[in-house]
Amino acid sequence: QEHAMESGGGSVQAGGSLRISCEDSGYAFSSACLGWFRQVPGKEREGVAAIDHDGTTNYADFVRRRFTISRDNGKHLLYLQMNNLQPEDTAMYYCSRQHKPATCHPDFQWSFGDWGQGTQVTVSS
């Protein structure tokens, strides 16, 4: 059952910024570990960032301090601020919440579920 809806994607030039959002209508939002993932056609989906209920954040190595994940529990919103975007960041971005016990980290994609439809981010050189 889909609870997440992503928005805010678009097209930018290299070096630009975007903030994408995810509205999660599922229960117990404030206590959930939430994450951002991305996928390019023909490749496996990869983890980008995750944020735990207490605000602890974890990022994939390739983010290199360019992206910031945050959440607004009152509005049931998850954000990903992306700066210094590069063409290799072009992908469909998905938000998700963790459903199985595991460290709240984007490397543990197997523990996440309830995928949304995604929002496309395209970066041109």
Side-chain angles (χ1 to χ4, degrees), residues 23-95:
E23 183 175 1
D24 186 331
S25 61
Y27 67 96
F29 177 89
S30 61
S31 62
C33 161
L34 307 169
W36 283 103
F37 301 81
R38 68 185 189 184
Q39 188 170 25
V40 176
K43 294 187 177 181
E44 292 187 354
R45 186 167 52 203
E46 62 180 355
V48 177
I51 183 167
D52 212 342
H53 64 92
D54 62 356
T56 300
T57 58
N58 285 297
Y59 297 92
D61 290 342
F62 63 78
V63 169
R64 299 190 195 98
R65 301 181 181 180
R66 298 180 298 130
F67 297 177
T68 302
I69 188 172
S70 61
R71 63 195 294 166
D72 184 332
N73 288 335
K75 297 180 179 179
H76 280 221
L77 288 172
L78 176 70
Y79 301 104
L80 186 68
Q81 175 68 44
M82 302 181 288
N83 298 326
N84 191 22
L85 283 161
Q86 299 301 314
E88 54 266 34
D89 295 316
T90 295
M92 186 73 79
Y93 284 72
Y94 300 90
C95 64

Side-chain angles (χ1 to χ4, degrees), residues 83-116:
N83 298 326
N84 191 22
L85 283 161
Q86 299 301 314
E88 54 266 34
D89 295 316
T90 295
M92 186 73 79
Y93 284 72
Y94 300 90
C95 64
S96 179
R97 61 162 65 195
Q98 194 172 54
H99 283 277
K100 298 179 181 179
T103 301
C104 185
H105 196 287
D107 286 350
F108 294 90
Q109 185 177 164
W110 57 267
S111 66
F112 287 79
D114 278 351
W115 302 97

